[in-house]
Amino acid sequence: DTGVSQDPRHKITKRGQNVTFRCDPISEHNRLYWYRQTLGQGPEFLTYFQNEAQLEKSRLLSDRFSAERPKGSFSTLEIQRTEQGDSAMYLCASSFGGTFGGINEKLFFGSGTQLSVL
Amino acid sequence: DQQVKQNSPSLSVQEGRISILNCDYTNSMFDYFLWYKKYPAEGPTFLISISSIKDKNEDGRFTVFLNKSAKHLSLHIVPSQPGDSAVYFCAASQYSGGGADGLTFGKGTHLIIQP
């Protein structure tokens, strides 16, 4: 079991630059989630994929953020024109769930990508 | 508006004693609750969960209690061990919602087990 893998672990960028993060979920998992965590807060839901379909996006996800999961396997999260307020830990999680019904199964998280925007 | 609240940012407990971590929620639509544990520089790991049709779920040293009328749940760790020192997050979701708003997390409680 290789677990959920995220790359890079750390990213330092200048304000206004674009950044892209990658997540490789557990191979048999059909669901993939992106969360963001800032200091002193719990993880906040950003978006969710079931296979390659992006089914939900939080209102936290501004139009500078875009996520893809082109073949239903790995996913990328891109932030365009980064701002200092984007500095956070970006967590990816995966799970195996049925086609219908809500999301309640336990999630397996990666170690996250720590983004610092200078 | 925080829908899941963990009002104790930190908790210190002596090794071998019971640790009790508390969580309150405001959204009556939540019907599934989970606890995650997080070590520094790692992602959260699932610990234990409970459905709203139950009031207790036990797994080894960990027990979660749910009081729906009070919208309160608690995690009991007995006996507490040094490896339990971590940040514990309470999370909630709507199983029957059909949508995927994801899990709603509290801010976490930092549990410190003293030798």
mmCIF file of all heavy atoms in Angstrom, chain B residues 23-73:
data_model
loop_
_atom_site.group_PDB
_atom_site.id
_atom_site.type_symbol
_atom_site.label_atom_id
_atom_site.label_comp_id
_atom_site.label_asym_id
_atom_site.label_seq_id
_atom_site.Cartn_x
_atom_site.Cartn_y
_atom_site.Cartn_z
ATOM 1 N N CYS B 23 -16.235 17.735 21.120
ATOM 2 C CA CYS B 23 -16.574 18.342 19.832
ATOM 3 C C CYS B 23 -18.063 18.674 19.842
ATOM 4 O O CYS B 23 -18.881 17.847 20.265
ATOM 5 C CB CYS B 23 -16.231 17.362 18.709
ATOM 6 S SG CYS B 23 -16.656 17.902 17.054
ATOM 7 N N ASP B 24 -18.413 19.856 19.390
ATOM 8 C CA ASP B 24 -19.813 20.256 19.259
ATOM 9 C C ASP B 24 -20.094 20.623 17.804
ATOM 10 O O ASP B 24 -19.214 21.132 17.112
ATOM 11 C CB ASP B 24 -20.114 21.466 20.153
ATOM 12 C CG ASP B 24 -19.925 21.150 21.612
ATOM 13 O OD1 ASP B 24 -20.745 20.382 22.149
ATOM 14 O OD2 ASP B 24 -18.952 21.646 22.205
ATOM 15 N N TYR B 25 -21.323 20.386 17.363
ATOM 16 C CA TYR B 25 -21.679 20.761 16.000
ATOM 17 C C TYR B 25 -23.012 21.490 16.011
ATOM 18 O O TYR B 25 -23.810 21.358 16.950
ATOM 19 C CB TYR B 25 -21.712 19.539 15.080
ATOM 20 C CG TYR B 25 -22.722 18.473 15.459
ATOM 21 C CD1 TYR B 25 -23.985 18.427 14.855
ATOM 22 C CD2 TYR B 25 -22.400 17.496 16.399
ATOM 23 C CE1 TYR B 25 -24.894 17.447 15.179
ATOM 24 C CE2 TYR B 25 -23.313 16.506 16.730
ATOM 25 C CZ TYR B 25 -24.557 16.488 16.115
ATOM 26 O OH TYR B 25 -25.467 15.511 16.446
ATOM 27 N N THR B 26 -23.225 22.281 14.976
ATOM 28 C CA THR B 26 -24.446 23.091 14.932
ATOM 29 C C THR B 26 -25.401 22.645 13.824
ATOM 30 O O THR B 26 -26.596 22.920 13.897
ATOM 31 C CB THR B 26 -24.099 24.571 14.722
ATOM 32 O OG1 THR B 26 -23.338 24.699 13.509
ATOM 33 C CG2 THR B 26 -23.279 25.119 15.882
ATOM 34 N N ASN B 27 -24.889 21.965 12.812
ATOM 35 C CA ASN B 27 -25.713 21.584 11.669
ATOM 36 C C ASN B 27 -26.434 20.271 11.965
ATOM 37 O O ASN B 27 -25.820 19.215 12.039
ATOM 38 C CB ASN B 27 -24.821 21.439 10.431
ATOM 39 C CG ASN B 27 -25.621 21.203 9.158
ATOM 40 O OD1 ASN B 27 -26.793 20.845 9.204
ATOM 41 N ND2 ASN B 27 -24.975 21.415 8.024
ATOM 42 N N SER B 28 -27.737 20.335 12.116
ATOM 43 C CA SER B 28 -28.511 19.140 12.471
ATOM 44 C C SER B 28 -28.601 18.147 11.305
ATOM 45 O O SER B 28 -29.068 17.031 11.487
ATOM 46 C CB SER B 28 -29.919 19.534 12.921
ATOM 47 O OG SER B 28 -30.554 20.279 11.904
ATOM 48 N N MET B 29 -28.132 18.535 10.125
ATOM 49 C CA MET B 29 -28.136 17.621 8.976
ATOM 50 C C MET B 29 -26.947 16.662 9.010
ATOM 51 O O MET B 29 -26.925 15.674 8.288
ATOM 52 C CB MET B 29 -28.114 18.410 7.660
ATOM 53 C CG MET B 29 -29.311 19.316 7.470
ATOM 54 S SD MET B 29 -30.857 18.390 7.444
ATOM 55 C CE MET B 29 -30.681 17.514 5.899
ATOM 56 N N PHE B 30 -25.959 16.958 9.829
ATOM 57 C CA PHE B 30 -24.815 16.047 9.930
ATOM 58 C C PHE B 30 -25.293 14.719 10.503
ATOM 59 O O PHE B 30 -26.029 14.689 11.504
ATOM 60 C CB PHE B 30 -23.734 16.617 10.843
ATOM 61 C CG PHE B 30 -22.958 17.761 10.259
ATOM 62 C CD1 PHE B 30 -22.502 18.781 11.082
ATOM 63 C CD2 PHE B 30 -22.654 17.821 8.910
ATOM 64 C CE1 PHE B 30 -21.783 19.838 10.566
ATOM 65 C CE2 PHE B 30 -21.928 18.868 8.381
ATOM 66 C CZ PHE B 30 -21.499 19.887 9.212
ATOM 67 N N ASP B 31 -24.882 13.633 9.885
ATOM 68 C CA ASP B 31 -25.304 12.330 10.394
ATOM 69 C C ASP B 31 -24.163 11.313 10.415
ATOM 70 O O ASP B 31 -24.391 10.126 10.603
ATOM 71 C CB ASP B 31 -26.495 11.792 9.605
ATOM 72 C CG ASP B 31 -26.239 11.767 8.109
ATOM 73 O OD1 ASP B 31 -25.064 11.915 7.702
ATOM 74 O OD2 ASP B 31 -27.199 11.610 7.343
ATOM 75 N N TYR B 32 -22.961 11.792 10.216
ATOM 76 C CA TYR B 32 -21.815 10.889 10.307
ATOM 77 C C TYR B 32 -20.641 11.694 10.807
ATOM 78 O O TYR B 32 -20.397 12.802 10.335
ATOM 79 C CB TYR B 32 -21.511 10.288 8.924
ATOM 80 C CG TYR B 32 -20.636 9.066 8.971
ATOM 81 C CD1 TYR B 32 -21.166 7.830 9.321
ATOM 82 C CD2 TYR B 32 -19.284 9.147 8.663
ATOM 83 C CE1 TYR B 32 -20.368 6.698 9.360
ATOM 84 C CE2 TYR B 32 -18.487 8.025 8.697
ATOM 85 C CZ TYR B 32 -19.031 6.805 9.051
ATOM 86 O OH TYR B 32 -18.247 5.693 9.089
ATOM 87 N N PHE B 33 -19.932 11.124 11.772
ATOM 88 C CA PHE B 33 -18.885 11.871 12.461
ATOM 89 C C PHE B 33 -17.614 11.031 12.512
ATOM 90 O O PHE B 33 -17.663 9.811 12.668
ATOM 91 C CB PHE B 33 -19.346 12.227 13.882
ATOM 92 C CG PHE B 33 -20.652 12.973 13.891
ATOM 93 C CD1 PHE B 33 -21.853 12.278 13.949
ATOM 94 C CD2 PHE B 33 -20.674 14.355 13.786
ATOM 95 C CE1 PHE B 33 -23.062 12.960 13.922
ATOM 96 C CE2 PHE B 33 -21.883 15.046 13.766
ATOM 97 C CZ PHE B 33 -23.076 14.351 13.833
ATOM 98 N N LEU B 34 -16.494 11.711 12.376
ATOM 99 C CA LEU B 34 -15.214 11.015 12.323
ATOM 100 C C LEU B 34 -14.204 11.770 13.182
ATOM 101 O O LEU B 34 -14.303 12.993 13.361
ATOM 102 C CB LEU B 34 -14.686 10.953 10.886
ATOM 103 C CG LEU B 34 -15.623 10.403 9.804
ATOM 104 C CD1 LEU B 34 -16.419 11.523 9.136
ATOM 105 C CD2 LEU B 34 -14.834 9.640 8.746
ATOM 106 N N TRP B 35 -13.231 11.051 13.672
ATOM 107 C CA TRP B 35 -12.076 11.646 14.335
ATOM 108 C C TRP B 35 -10.832 11.296 13.515
ATOM 109 O O TRP B 35 -10.640 10.145 13.116
ATOM 110 C CB TRP B 35 -11.922 11.129 15.760
ATOM 111 C CG TRP B 35 -12.912 11.712 16.726
ATOM 112 C CD1 TRP B 35 -14.127 11.201 17.062
ATOM 113 C CD2 TRP B 35 -12.756 12.927 17.476
ATOM 114 N NE1 TRP B 35 -14.754 12.014 17.980
ATOM 115 C CE2 TRP B 35 -13.928 13.075 18.254
ATOM 116 C CE3 TRP B 35 -11.752 13.892 17.583
ATOM 117 C CZ2 TRP B 35 -14.128 14.154 19.113
ATOM 118 C CZ3 TRP B 35 -11.955 14.954 18.443
ATOM 119 C CH2 TRP B 35 -13.129 15.084 19.197
ATOM 120 N N TYR B 36 -9.992 12.320 13.311
ATOM 121 C CA TYR B 36 -8.721 12.145 12.643
ATOM 122 C C TYR B 36 -7.621 12.595 13.593
ATOM 123 O O TYR B 36 -7.805 13.501 14.412
ATOM 124 C CB TYR B 36 -8.663 12.986 11.356
ATOM 125 C CG TYR B 36 -9.370 12.363 10.180
ATOM 126 C CD1 TYR B 36 -10.749 12.463 10.046
ATOM 127 C CD2 TYR B 36 -8.660 11.674 9.208
ATOM 128 C CE1 TYR B 36 -11.401 11.881 8.976
ATOM 129 C CE2 TYR B 36 -9.304 11.093 8.131
ATOM 130 C CZ TYR B 36 -10.671 11.210 8.022
ATOM 131 O OH TYR B 36 -11.316 10.627 6.958
ATOM 132 N N LYS B 37 -6.480 11.982 13.412
ATOM 133 C CA LYS B 37 -5.306 12.286 14.226
ATOM 134 C C LYS B 37 -4.223 12.796 13.283
ATOM 135 O O LYS B 37 -4.056 12.266 12.179
ATOM 136 C CB LYS B 37 -4.868 10.988 14.900
ATOM 137 C CG LYS B 37 -3.608 11.027 15.695
ATOM 138 C CD LYS B 37 -3.418 9.611 16.285
ATOM 139 C CE LYS B 37 -2.118 9.473 17.000
ATOM 140 N NZ LYS B 37 -1.972 8.101 17.569
ATOM 141 N N LYS B 38 -3.500 13.825 13.714
ATOM 142 C CA LYS B 38 -2.478 14.386 12.827
ATOM 143 C C LYS B 38 -1.184 14.632 13.586
ATOM 144 O O LYS B 38 -1.165 15.352 14.592
ATOM 145 C CB LYS B 38 -2.980 15.692 12.208
ATOM 146 C CG LYS B 38 -2.024 16.272 11.180
ATOM 147 C CD LYS B 38 -2.552 17.568 10.593
ATOM 148 C CE LYS B 38 -1.640 18.081 9.486
ATOM 149 N NZ LYS B 38 -0.250 18.287 9.927
ATOM 150 N N TYR B 39 -0.102 14.045 13.054
ATOM 151 C CA TYR B 39 1.245 14.333 13.550
ATOM 152 C C TYR B 39 1.824 15.459 12.705
ATOM 153 O O TYR B 39 1.419 15.662 11.556
ATOM 154 C CB TYR B 39 2.138 13.106 13.435
ATOM 155 C CG TYR B 39 1.755 11.964 14.346
ATOM 156 C CD1 TYR B 39 1.386 10.720 13.825
ATOM 157 C CD2 TYR B 39 1.775 12.089 15.734
ATOM 158 C CE1 TYR B 39 1.048 9.660 14.643
ATOM 159 C CE2 TYR B 39 1.440 11.030 16.562
ATOM 160 C CZ TYR B 39 1.078 9.822 16.008
ATOM 161 O OH TYR B 39 0.737 8.775 16.830
ATOM 162 N N PRO B 40 2.807 16.202 13.242
ATOM 163 C CA PRO B 40 3.442 17.263 12.467
ATOM 164 C C PRO B 40 4.004 16.749 11.147
ATOM 165 O O PRO B 40 4.539 15.644 11.091
ATOM 166 C CB PRO B 40 4.552 17.751 13.391
ATOM 167 C CG PRO B 40 4.116 17.379 14.763
ATOM 168 C CD PRO B 40 3.341 16.106 14.616
ATOM 169 N N ALA B 41 3.870 17.519 10.107
ATOM 170 C CA ALA B 41 4.406 17.237 8.778
ATOM 171 C C ALA B 41 3.790 15.998 8.128
ATOM 172 O O ALA B 41 4.345 15.455 7.163
ATOM 173 C CB ALA B 41 5.937 17.084 8.824
ATOM 174 N N GLU B 42 2.676 15.552 8.644
ATOM 175 C CA GLU B 42 1.951 14.441 8.019
ATOM 176 C C GLU B 42 0.505 14.850 7.793
ATOM 177 O O GLU B 42 -0.007 15.768 8.430
ATOM 178 C CB GLU B 42 1.989 13.202 8.912
ATOM 179 C CG GLU B 42 3.369 12.612 9.088
ATOM 180 C CD GLU B 42 3.336 11.342 9.921
ATOM 181 O OE1 GLU B 42 2.235 10.798 10.151
ATOM 182 O OE2 GLU B 42 4.420 10.893 10.328
ATOM 183 N N GLY B 43 -0.172 14.135 6.881
ATOM 184 C CA GLY B 43 -1.592 14.374 6.705
ATOM 185 C C GLY B 43 -2.383 13.722 7.826
ATOM 186 O O GLY B 43 -1.881 12.851 8.530
ATOM 187 N N PRO B 44 -3.640 14.130 8.003
ATOM 188 C CA PRO B 44 -4.483 13.498 9.026
ATOM 189 C C PRO B 44 -4.704 12.025 8.705
ATOM 190 O O PRO B 44 -4.793 11.636 7.541
ATOM 191 C CB PRO B 44 -5.803 14.270 8.917
ATOM 192 C CG PRO B 44 -5.469 15.541 8.216
ATOM 193 C CD PRO B 44 -4.331 15.219 7.303
ATOM 194 N N THR B 45 -4.791 11.201 9.751
ATOM 195 C CA THR B 45 -5.114 9.787 9.567
ATOM 196 C C THR B 45 -6.402 9.463 10.315
ATOM 197 O O THR B 45 -6.626 9.940 11.424
ATOM 198 C CB THR B 45 -3.984 8.865 10.054
ATOM 199 O OG1 THR B 45 -3.685 9.187 11.418
ATOM 200 C CG2 THR B 45 -2.736 9.029 9.235
ATOM 201 N N PHE B 46 -7.214 8.650 9.682
ATOM 202 C CA PHE B 46 -8.504 8.279 10.262
ATOM 203 C C PHE B 46 -8.308 7.479 11.542
ATOM 204 O O PHE B 46 -7.451 6.600 11.621
ATOM 205 C CB PHE B 46 -9.284 7.458 9.238
ATOM 206 C CG PHE B 46 -10.539 6.838 9.793
ATOM 207 C CD1 PHE B 46 -11.675 7.592 9.965
ATOM 208 C CD2 PHE B 46 -10.553 5.495 10.160
ATOM 209 C CE1 PHE B 46 -12.824 7.026 10.476
ATOM 210 C CE2 PHE B 46 -11.700 4.916 10.678
ATOM 211 C CZ PHE B 46 -12.838 5.679 10.834
ATOM 212 N N LEU B 47 -9.144 7.790 12.529
ATOM 213 C CA LEU B 47 -9.051 7.108 13.809
ATOM 214 C C LEU B 47 -10.297 6.263 14.076
ATOM 215 O O LEU B 47 -10.230 5.059 14.229
ATOM 216 C CB LEU B 47 -8.884 8.154 14.910
ATOM 217 C CG LEU B 47 -8.357 7.747 16.260
ATOM 218 C CD1 LEU B 47 -7.026 7.036 16.141
ATOM 219 C CD2 LEU B 47 -8.212 8.987 17.149
ATOM 220 N N ILE B 48 -11.448 6.889 14.097
ATOM 221 C CA ILE B 48 -12.682 6.201 14.439
ATOM 222 C C ILE B 48 -13.854 7.048 13.946
ATOM 223 O O ILE B 48 -13.717 8.256 13.774
ATOM 224 C CB ILE B 48 -12.764 5.961 15.976
ATOM 225 C CG1 ILE B 48 -13.882 4.979 16.335
ATOM 226 C CG2 ILE B 48 -12.893 7.277 16.734
ATOM 227 C CD1 ILE B 48 -13.811 4.507 17.787
ATOM 228 N N SER B 49 -14.986 6.387 13.691
ATOM 229 C CA SER B 49 -16.159 7.120 13.221
ATOM 230 C C SER B 49 -17.412 6.609 13.908
ATOM 231 O O SER B 49 -17.401 5.552 14.564
ATOM 232 C CB SER B 49 -16.303 6.968 11.703
ATOM 233 O OG SER B 49 -16.511 5.611 11.351
ATOM 234 N N ILE B 50 -18.498 7.365 13.741
ATOM 235 C CA ILE B 50 -19.769 6.964 14.299
ATOM 236 C C ILE B 50 -20.903 7.514 13.448
ATOM 237 O O ILE B 50 -20.852 8.667 12.997
ATOM 238 C CB ILE B 50 -19.911 7.407 15.780
ATOM 239 C CG1 ILE B 50 -21.166 6.793 16.412
ATOM 240 C CG2 ILE B 50 -19.914 8.927 15.903
ATOM 241 C CD1 ILE B 50 -21.198 6.917 17.937
ATOM 242 N N SER B 51 -21.903 6.670 13.224
ATOM 243 C CA SER B 51 -23.095 7.093 12.522
ATOM 244 C C SER B 51 -24.085 7.645 13.537
ATOM 245 O O SER B 51 -24.060 7.269 14.702
ATOM 246 C CB SER B 51 -23.706 5.890 11.802
ATOM 247 O OG SER B 51 -25.053 6.132 11.483
ATOM 248 N N SER B 52 -24.971 8.511 13.058
ATOM 249 C CA SER B 52 -25.929 9.130 13.981
ATOM 250 C C SER B 52 -26.974 8.152 14.511
ATOM 251 O O SER B 52 -27.720 8.493 15.426
ATOM 252 C CB SER B 52 -26.628 10.306 13.292
ATOM 253 O OG SER B 52 -27.338 9.851 12.162
ATOM 254 N N ILE B 53 -27.027 6.954 13.961
ATOM 255 C CA ILE B 53 -27.985 5.977 14.488
ATOM 256 C C ILE B 53 -27.421 5.268 15.722
ATOM 257 O O ILE B 53 -28.121 4.496 16.374
ATOM 258 C CB ILE B 53 -28.393 4.938 13.429
ATOM 259 C CG1 ILE B 53 -27.184 4.108 12.956
ATOM 260 C CG2 ILE B 53 -29.076 5.621 12.253
ATOM 261 C CD1 ILE B 53 -27.558 2.965 12.037
ATOM 262 N N LYS B 54 -26.165 5.544 16.023
ATOM 263 C CA LYS B 54 -25.541 4.942 17.203
ATOM 264 C C LYS B 54 -25.209 6.029 18.218
ATOM 265 O O LYS B 54 -25.148 7.214 17.874
ATOM 266 C CB LYS B 54 -24.259 4.217 16.811
ATOM 267 C CG LYS B 54 -24.461 3.010 15.916
ATOM 268 C CD LYS B 54 -23.144 2.292 15.705
ATOM 269 C CE LYS B 54 -23.351 0.999 14.948
ATOM 270 N NZ LYS B 54 -22.082 0.255 14.777
ATOM 271 N N ASP B 55 -24.966 5.618 19.451
ATOM 272 C CA ASP B 55 -24.493 6.591 20.426
ATOM 273 C C ASP B 55 -23.106 6.254 20.957
ATOM 274 O O ASP B 55 -22.523 7.036 21.715
ATOM 275 C CB ASP B 55 -25.485 6.753 21.582
ATOM 276 C CG ASP B 55 -25.818 5.426 22.253
ATOM 277 O OD1 ASP B 55 -25.059 4.463 22.075
ATOM 278 O OD2 ASP B 55 -26.848 5.363 22.960
ATOM 279 N N LYS B 56 -22.571 5.145 20.510
ATOM 280 C CA LYS B 56 -21.236 4.760 20.969
ATOM 281 C C LYS B 56 -20.592 3.848 19.941
ATOM 282 O O LYS B 56 -21.256 2.983 19.345
ATOM 283 C CB LYS B 56 -21.371 4.034 22.317
ATOM 284 C CG LYS B 56 -20.071 3.502 22.896
ATOM 285 C CD LYS B 56 -20.347 2.756 24.206
ATOM 286 C CE LYS B 56 -19.108 2.063 24.740
ATOM 287 N NZ LYS B 56 -19.396 1.326 25.983
ATOM 288 N N ASN B 57 -19.296 4.052 19.743
ATOM 289 C CA ASN B 57 -18.528 3.129 18.912
ATOM 290 C C ASN B 57 -17.148 2.976 19.541
ATOM 291 O O ASN B 57 -16.532 3.958 19.950
ATOM 292 C CB ASN B 57 -18.400 3.651 17.475
ATOM 293 C CG ASN B 57 -17.783 2.617 16.551
ATOM 294 O OD1 ASN B 57 -17.872 1.412 16.812
ATOM 295 N ND2 ASN B 57 -17.169 3.063 15.476
ATOM 296 N N GLU B 58 -16.708 1.735 19.610
ATOM 297 C CA GLU B 58 -15.470 1.436 20.329
ATOM 298 C C GLU B 58 -14.494 0.717 19.413
ATOM 299 O O GLU B 58 -14.875 -0.154 18.626
ATOM 300 C CB GLU B 58 -15.824 0.542 21.521
ATOM 301 C CG GLU B 58 -14.796 0.452 22.600
ATOM 302 C CD GLU B 58 -15.359 -0.259 23.833
ATOM 303 O OE1 GLU B 58 -16.597 -0.428 23.921
ATOM 304 O OE2 GLU B 58 -14.569 -0.636 24.700
ATOM 305 N N ASP B 59 -13.215 1.077 19.527
ATOM 306 C CA ASP B 59 -12.181 0.398 18.752
ATOM 307 C C ASP B 59 -10.908 0.402 19.586
ATOM 308 O O ASP B 59 -10.174 1.393 19.616
ATOM 309 C CB ASP B 59 -11.959 1.108 17.410
ATOM 310 C CG ASP B 59 -10.938 0.389 16.544
ATOM 311 O OD1 ASP B 59 -10.425 -0.682 16.951
ATOM 312 O OD2 ASP B 59 -10.638 0.885 15.441
ATOM 313 N N GLY B 60 -10.693 -0.694 20.283
ATOM 314 C CA GLY B 60 -9.499 -0.785 21.126
ATOM 315 C C GLY B 60 -9.526 0.248 22.235
ATOM 316 O O GLY B 60 -10.478 0.338 23.009
ATOM 317 N N ARG B 61 -8.491 1.073 22.281
ATOM 318 C CA ARG B 61 -8.410 2.092 23.341
ATOM 319 C C ARG B 61 -9.282 3.320 23.064
ATOM 320 O O ARG B 61 -9.373 4.199 23.901
ATOM 321 C CB ARG B 61 -6.948 2.534 23.492
ATOM 322 C CG ARG B 61 -6.000 1.459 23.972
ATOM 323 C CD ARG B 61 -4.591 2.006 24.236
ATOM 324 N NE ARG B 61 -3.976 2.579 23.049
ATOM 325 C CZ ARG B 61 -3.689 3.866 22.913
ATOM 326 N NH1 ARG B 61 -3.964 4.737 23.875
ATOM 327 N NH2 ARG B 61 -3.113 4.311 21.798
ATOM 328 N N PHE B 62 -9.858 3.367 21.888
ATOM 329 C CA PHE B 62 -10.603 4.553 21.455
ATOM 330 C C PHE B 62 -12.114 4.291 21.456
ATOM 331 O O PHE B 62 -12.570 3.289 20.913
ATOM 332 C CB PHE B 62 -10.160 4.966 20.051
ATOM 333 C CG PHE B 62 -8.690 5.235 19.942
ATOM 334 C CD1 PHE B 62 -7.810 4.234 19.549
ATOM 335 C CD2 PHE B 62 -8.170 6.477 20.251
ATOM 336 C CE1 PHE B 62 -6.439 4.469 19.468
ATOM 337 C CE2 PHE B 62 -6.806 6.725 20.171
ATOM 338 C CZ PHE B 62 -5.942 5.721 19.785
ATOM 339 N N THR B 63 -12.848 5.216 22.073
ATOM 340 C CA THR B 63 -14.307 5.139 22.079
ATOM 341 C C THR B 63 -14.855 6.514 21.725
ATOM 342 O O THR B 63 -14.395 7.519 22.278
ATOM 343 C CB THR B 63 -14.844 4.719 23.456
ATOM 344 O OG1 THR B 63 -14.266 3.461 23.822
ATOM 345 C CG2 THR B 63 -16.363 4.572 23.421
ATOM 346 N N VAL B 64 -15.821 6.539 20.813
ATOM 347 C CA VAL B 64 -16.482 7.794 20.490
ATOM 348 C C VAL B 64 -17.917 7.713 20.978
ATOM 349 O O VAL B 64 -18.590 6.703 20.782
ATOM 350 C CB VAL B 64 -16.399 8.126 18.985
ATOM 351 C CG1 VAL B 64 -16.959 7.018 18.117
ATOM 352 C CG2 VAL B 64 -17.089 9.440 18.680
ATOM 353 N N PHE B 65 -18.355 8.765 21.647
ATOM 354 C CA PHE B 65 -19.722 8.871 22.152
ATOM 355 C C PHE B 65 -20.423 10.002 21.406
ATOM 356 O O PHE B 65 -19.840 11.064 21.193
ATOM 357 C CB PHE B 65 -19.726 9.192 23.647
ATOM 358 C CG PHE B 65 -19.144 8.110 24.507
ATOM 359 C CD1 PHE B 65 -17.800 8.111 24.829
ATOM 360 C CD2 PHE B 65 -19.943 7.085 24.994
ATOM 361 C CE1 PHE B 65 -17.254 7.113 25.630
ATOM 362 C CE2 PHE B 65 -19.419 6.090 25.800
ATOM 363 C CZ PHE B 65 -18.067 6.094 26.109
ATOM 364 N N LEU B 66 -21.682 9.761 21.043
ATOM 365 C CA LEU B 66 -22.455 10.772 20.340
ATOM 366 C C LEU B 66 -23.740 11.074 21.115
ATOM 367 O O LEU B 66 -24.494 10.151 21.443
ATOM 368 C CB LEU B 66 -22.806 10.300 18.929
ATOM 369 C CG LEU B 66 -23.726 11.215 18.109
ATOM 370 C CD1 LEU B 66 -23.070 12.571 17.866
ATOM 371 C CD2 LEU B 66 -24.096 10.558 16.778
ATOM 372 N N ASN B 67 -23.969 12.344 21.394
ATOM 373 C CA ASN B 67 -25.211 12.800 22.033
ATOM 374 C C ASN B 67 -25.907 13.721 21.028
ATOM 375 O O ASN B 67 -25.586 14.905 20.928
ATOM 376 C CB ASN B 67 -24.892 13.535 23.335
ATOM 377 C CG ASN B 67 -26.142 14.004 24.056
ATOM 378 O OD1 ASN B 67 -27.194 14.202 23.461
ATOM 379 N ND2 ASN B 67 -26.037 14.169 25.355
ATOM 380 N N LYS B 68 -26.840 13.150 20.273
ATOM 381 C CA LYS B 68 -27.475 13.918 19.197
ATOM 382 C C LYS B 68 -28.299 15.079 19.711
ATOM 383 O O LYS B 68 -28.325 16.142 19.103
ATOM 384 C CB LYS B 68 -28.352 12.995 18.343
ATOM 385 C CG LYS B 68 -27.583 12.194 17.336
ATOM 386 C CD LYS B 68 -28.446 11.683 16.208
ATOM 387 C CE LYS B 68 -29.750 11.106 16.657
ATOM 388 N NZ LYS B 68 -30.569 10.576 15.570
ATOM 389 N N SER B 69 -28.972 14.882 20.823
ATOM 390 C CA SER B 69 -29.834 15.957 21.326
ATOM 391 C C SER B 69 -29.002 17.168 21.721
ATOM 392 O O SER B 69 -29.423 18.309 21.563
ATOM 393 C CB SER B 69 -30.686 15.469 22.494
ATOM 394 O OG SER B 69 -29.865 15.030 23.550
ATOM 395 N N ALA B 70 -27.807 16.904 22.226
ATOM 396 C CA ALA B 70 -26.915 18.001 22.618
ATOM 397 C C ALA B 70 -26.000 18.427 21.478
ATOM 398 O O ALA B 70 -25.236 19.386 21.626
ATOM 399 C CB ALA B 70 -26.073 17.587 23.822
ATOM 400 N N LYS B 71 -26.047 17.714 20.361
ATOM 401 C CA LYS B 71 -25.132 17.961 19.233
ATOM 402 C C LYS B 71 -23.684 17.971 19.734
ATOM 403 O O LYS B 71 -22.907 18.918 19.492
ATOM 404 C CB LYS B 71 -25.466 19.262 18.511
ATOM 405 C CG LYS B 71 -26.820 19.267 17.818
ATOM 406 C CD LYS B 71 -26.932 20.466 16.877
ATOM 407 C CE LYS B 71 -28.242 20.491 16.139
ATOM 408 N NZ LYS B 71 -29.397 20.788 17.025
ATOM 409 N N HIS B 72 -23.344 16.909 20.411
ATOM 410 C CA HIS B 72 -22.031 16.818 21.046
ATOM 411 C C HIS B 72 -21.474 15.416 20.869
ATOM 412 O O HIS B 72 -22.199 14.424 20.970
ATOM 413 C CB HIS B 72 -22.176 17.124 22.543
ATOM 414 C CG HIS B 72 -20.904 16.973 23.317
ATOM 415 N ND1 HIS B 72 -19.960 17.976 23.380
ATOM 416 C CD2 HIS B 72 -20.409 15.946 24.038
ATOM 417 C CE1 HIS B 72 -18.940 17.560 24.113
ATOM 418 N NE2 HIS B 72 -19.192 16.332 24.526
ATOM 419 N N LEU B 73 -20.182 15.360 20.579
ATOM 420 C CA LEU B 73 -19.517 14.062 20.597
ATOM 421 C C LEU B 73 -18.185 14.186 21.319
ATOM 422 O O LEU B 73 -17.642 15.295 21.472
ATOM 423 C CB LEU B 73 -19.337 13.469 19.193
ATOM 424 C CG LEU B 73 -18.509 14.156 18.136
ATOM 425 C CD1 LEU B 73 -17.989 13.134 17.135
ATOM 426 C CD2 LEU B 73 -19.358 15.167 17.384
#
